[in-house]
């Protein structure tokens, strides 16, 4: 909690930059989707910032950063607040920097689009599609999340079957404002973007994102069912590996999960396993040929235009972290895991985990291409009982060699990285010398600061 006197002089110095200390606004803008995790729910309920400030331009961000440095005010950047590890929850009060007004989208130049950090992914694509391009990757929160939040808090999503992770060249460039006594704007390109990508806004305020695009497709959304889950997984693998099938989404879920999916549940045969796909128009014949070879049945097909006309959910809102969200709407007791099953033995490993955990951890797979090979991220549902059992389930996976991207921690290093990224830490030392950006999220910096005291 910040001293009232500090806040008063800060608001005076803000001049014409809009701000709010209205209790409901501050509380709402202090939350994200951390409640997905029963562990984070206990830790983060009731943590709020003190003031929401809403810049419209990079120049205003520079002014705000200068004032925060002068007043030693903590600052937590916020996109749309759809992160689900509490990344956007301020742990030390202070300023919530709401980027939603910085949402200008530029023209496509040389297959790259530049946008303000507060631009929604759906609005970016609406613009790029006019020029015949689409984003290579987006989270399943495409309709609500911002590009700044995706780059700072996310990692992959729809399109991963072709492009893997954002960290592997999925970002073309970033402009970043530092929080120094005299803040600067730094322009990062190439691998340098990873100093700030997935750092939860702990080491810079992103003021522009440049994303690589690919030629736009007319995607057809398809759901299929196959009686046996591992046969469905083999079908998904075949779709993922077949260059004649142009695809954007390849998802497989356990038979217990489709009852959570409103649009699809009615046409689904109980006991079967469900596959979700986005397939290019020109690849439908090859897709159907593969499906027949695996004994599958198509139960749903719609173009993006049909989905929009009906007002139904796009199929990707049943995939990635949306699978768990649809489940949580019906069963509040569930939570989830994020697991990498690496190639080439991923299908064997998955079969082992299904045999071991059964209905306690229903399988949900997203097929992705990593290092040129198709493998899987598991976003398994967990029927939650106790923190100890959840930790045990995680440990069993790790003991078998599967990396867990732990979604039950707000500490950056404890998620997927397992150790402090030296480049991110070095960048933080320069860009945030007072330790004011999203304090408490990067353990490496907190430890260093504590040792220096
Ligand atoms: P926020 O939640 O507001 O912020 C995320 C983090 O980025 C915070 O630490 C924040 O401080 C920081 N930040 C935001 N803007 C900036 C900025 N301009 N400069 C510096 N730091 C900033 N994630 C995936 O990667 N793939 C998925 O498929 C996916 N699916 C999801 C589905 C659901 C239902 C939910 C709830 C979450 C999902 N997520 C997914 C997580 C999240 O939606 C994405 O990471 C999303 O892109 C975050 O965007 P946002 O605008 O909501 O960011």
């Amino acid at each position: 909690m910040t001293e009232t006197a500090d806040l008063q002089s800060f608001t005076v110095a803000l001049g014409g930059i809009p701000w709010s200390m209205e209790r409901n606004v501050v509380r709402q803008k202090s939350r994200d989707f951390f409640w997905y995790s029963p562990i984070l729910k206990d830790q983060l309920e009731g943590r709020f910032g003190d003031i929401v400030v809403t810049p419209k331009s990079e120049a205003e961000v520079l002014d705000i950063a200068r004032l925060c440095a002068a007043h030693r005010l903590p600052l937590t950047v916020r996109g749309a607040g759809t992160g689900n590890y509490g990344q956007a929850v301020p742990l030390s009060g202070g300023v919530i920097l709401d980027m939603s007004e910085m949402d200008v989208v530029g023209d496509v130049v040389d297959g790259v689009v530049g946008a303000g950090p507060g631009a929604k992914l759906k609005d970016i694509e609406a613009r790029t599609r006019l020029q015949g391009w689409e984003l290579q990757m987006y989270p399943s929160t495409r309709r609500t999340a911002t590009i700044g939040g995706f780059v700072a808090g996310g990692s992959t999503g729809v399109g991963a079957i072709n492009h893997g992770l954002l960290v592997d060249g999925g970002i073309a460039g970033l402009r970043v404002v530092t929080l120094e006594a005299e803040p600067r704007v730094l322009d990062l390109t190439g691998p340098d973007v990873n100093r700030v990508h997935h750092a939860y806004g702990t080491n810079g305020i992103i003021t522009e994102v440049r994303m690589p695009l690919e030629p736009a497709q007319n995607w057809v959304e398809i759901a299929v069912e196959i009686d046996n889950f591992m046969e469905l997984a083999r079908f998904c693998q075949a779709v993922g590996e077949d260059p004649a099938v142009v695809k954007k989404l390849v998802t497989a879920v356990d038979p217990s999960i489709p009852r959570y999916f409103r649009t699809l549940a009615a046409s689904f045969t109980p006991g079967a396993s469900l596959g979700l796909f986005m397939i290019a128009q020109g690849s439908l014949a090859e897709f159907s040929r593969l499906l027949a070879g695996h004994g599958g049945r198509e139960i749903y097909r719609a173009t993006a235009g049909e989905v929009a006309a009906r007002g139904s959910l796009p199929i990707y809102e049943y995939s990635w972290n949306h699978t768990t969200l649809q489940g949580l709407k019906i069963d509040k007791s569930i939570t989830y895991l994020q697991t990498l099953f690496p190639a080439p033995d991923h299908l064997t490993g998955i079969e082992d985990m299904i045999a071991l955990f059964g209905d306690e951890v229903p399988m949900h797979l997203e097929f992705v291409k990593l290092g040129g090979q198709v493998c899987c991220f598991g976003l398994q549902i967990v029927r939650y009982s106790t923190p100890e059992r959840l930790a045990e389930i995680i440990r069993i996976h790790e003991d078998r060699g599967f990396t867990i991207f732990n979604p039950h921690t707000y500490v950056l290093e404890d998620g997927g990285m397992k150790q402090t990224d030296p480049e991110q830490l070095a960048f933080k030392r320069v860009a945030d010398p007072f330790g004011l950006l999203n304090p408490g999220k990067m353990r490496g910096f907190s430890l260093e600061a504590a040792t220096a005291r």
Side-chain angles (χ1 to χ4, degrees):
M1 195 70 171
T2 309
E3 295 292 328
T4 314
D6 288 347
L7 284 173
Q8 268 171 1
S9 60
F10 175 72
T11 55
V12 171
L14 280 175
I17 302 174
W19 57 270
S20 172
M21 292 207 313
E22 208 182 302
R23 185 183 152 98
N24 288 344
V25 175
V26 171
R27 294 196 160 207
Q28 188 252 321
K29 299 271 182 187
S30 296
R31 290 179 69 82
D32 63 12
F33 280 66
F34 64 80
W35 49 265
Y36 258 55
S37 160
I39 311 286
L40 291 179
K41 199 164 185 293
D42 282 350
Q43 293 173 347
L44 296 180
E45 268 315 340
R47 310 295 287 262
F48 305 117
D50 295 299
I51 180 169
V52 178
V53 183
T54 311
K56 285 195 168 56
S57 65
E58 187 177 84
E60 290 190 347
V61 173
L62 280 162
D63 287 343
I64 296 162
R66 189 178 301 108
L67 288 172
C68 283
H71 289 75
R72 298 292 194 270
L73 271 179
L75 183 153
T76 304
V77 192
R78 181 182 180 85
T82 68
N84 41 4
Y85 322 133
Q87 299 107 305
V89 176
L91 300 180
S92 308
V95 173
I96 298 160
L97 193 70
D98 176 354
M99 306 306 276
S100 58
E101 296 286 316
M102 290 181 61
D103 60 354
V104 174
V105 183
D107 286 334
V108 177
V109 178
D110 295 333
V112 172
V113 65
K120 294 231 162 85
L121 292 146
K122 76 168 172 29
D123 295 332
I124 294 175
E125 276 211 331
R127 178 72 187 267
T128 61
R129 278 186 168 266
L130 297 175
Q131 290 177 263
W133 298 86
E134 66 180 49
L135 289 165
Q136 291 182 353
M137 272 193 285
Y138 51 79
S140 60
T141 42
R142 175 182 177 274
R143 295 201 296 170
T144 46
T146 67
I147 188 70
F150 183 39
V151 162
S155 47
T156 182
V158 180
I161 187 62
N162 305 312
H163 301 288
L165 301 167
L166 279 180
V167 73
D168 298 322
I171 304 162
L174 299 173
R175 279 171 73 85
V176 179
V177 166
T178 64
L179 212 156
E180 300 168 275
E182 202 43 62
R184 293 172 290 156
V185 182
L186 306 176
D187 199 298
L188 307 179
T189 53
D192 286 351
V193 298
N194 291 330
R195 295 175 181 175
V196 173
H197 160 51
H198 203 77
Y200 296 179
T202 57
N203 61 4
I205 305 166
I206 299 167
T207 50
E208 184 198 74
V209 180
R210 299 187 295 276
M211 295 300 276
L213 304 168
E214 59 192 6
Q217 298 281 349
N218 291 319
W219 296 109
V220 180
E221 304 186 354
I222 300 178
V224 311
E225 59 182 25
I226 295 184
D227 292 334
N228 176 283
F229 183 83
M230 287 313 300
E231 192 57 35
L232 173 65
R234 284 187 282 277
F235 169 62
C236 289
Q237 183 74 21
V239 171
E241 288 177 350
D242 187 343
V245 181
V246 177
K247 58 255 164 189
K248 190 99 176 179
L249 178 73
V250 180
T251 307
V253 300
D254 173 89
S256 66
I257 295 175
R259 70 190 168 91
Y260 301 142
F261 296 171
R262 268 170 306 163
T263 315
L264 305 174
S267 31
F268 174 74
T269 308
S273 296
L274 185 75
L276 308 174
F277 303 86
M278 288 169 65
I279 303 294
Q281 287 275 2
S283 303
L284 293 174
E286 173 66 2
F287 178 84
S288 298
R289 191 190 66 75
L290 282 178
L291 181 62
H294 288 266
R297 302 174 291 278
E298 191 175 305
I299 61 165
Y300 174 88
R301 181 184 281 211
T303 62
E306 287 164 347
V307 170
R310 284 185 214 139
S312 45
L313 293 185
I315 206 158
Y316 59 77
E317 289 192 16
Y318 295 109
S319 74
W320 290 93
N321 287 342
H322 265 88
T323 309
T324 311
L325 181 63
Q326 305 302 353
L328 278 164
K329 287 179 191 167
I330 289 172
D331 181 353
K332 299 253 176 302
S333 71
I334 61 168
T335 187
Y336 74 123
L337 281 185
Q338 298 182 143
T339 314
L340 173 61
F341 293 106
D345 300 324
H346 49 295
L347 294 185
T348 312
I350 288 160
E351 198 164 12
D352 287 351
M353 292 297 101
I354 293 172
L356 192 60
F357 292 109
D359 191 52
E360 188 183 12
V361 186
M363 193 52 79
H364 161 199
L365 299 174
E366 296 294 340
F367 285 75
V368 303
K369 191 182 263 183
L370 293 180
Q373 288 183 292
V374 174
C375 60
C376 301
F377 275 121
L379 287 88
Q380 305 96 311
I381 300 278
V382 175
R383 302 203 191 282
Y384 181 70
S385 52
T386 63
E388 293 75 24
R389 177 61 182 159
L390 182 61
E392 188 179 22
I393 293 170
I394 290 174
R395 187 181 45 71
I396 291 170
H397 280 81
E398 289 176 338
D399 286 350
R400 302 282 174 113
F402 308 127
T403 303
I404 296 280
F405 295 77
N406 189 356
H408 304 284
T409 173
Y410 58 76
V411 177
L412 187 54
E413 290 92 333
D414 293 346
M417 303 188 318
K418 311 298 174 203
Q419 57 190 9
T420 306
D421 178 322
E423 294 220 11
Q424 288 187 346
L425 178 59
F427 195 78
K428 182 161 172 85
R429 286 191 203 111
V430 173
D432 183 26
F434 310 115
L436 295 171
L437 283 170
N438 211 353
K441 302 287 171 60
M442 190 193 276
R443 177 185 295 120
F445 186 82
S446 311
L447 285 176
E448 233 177 40
T451 316
R453 256 184 242 128

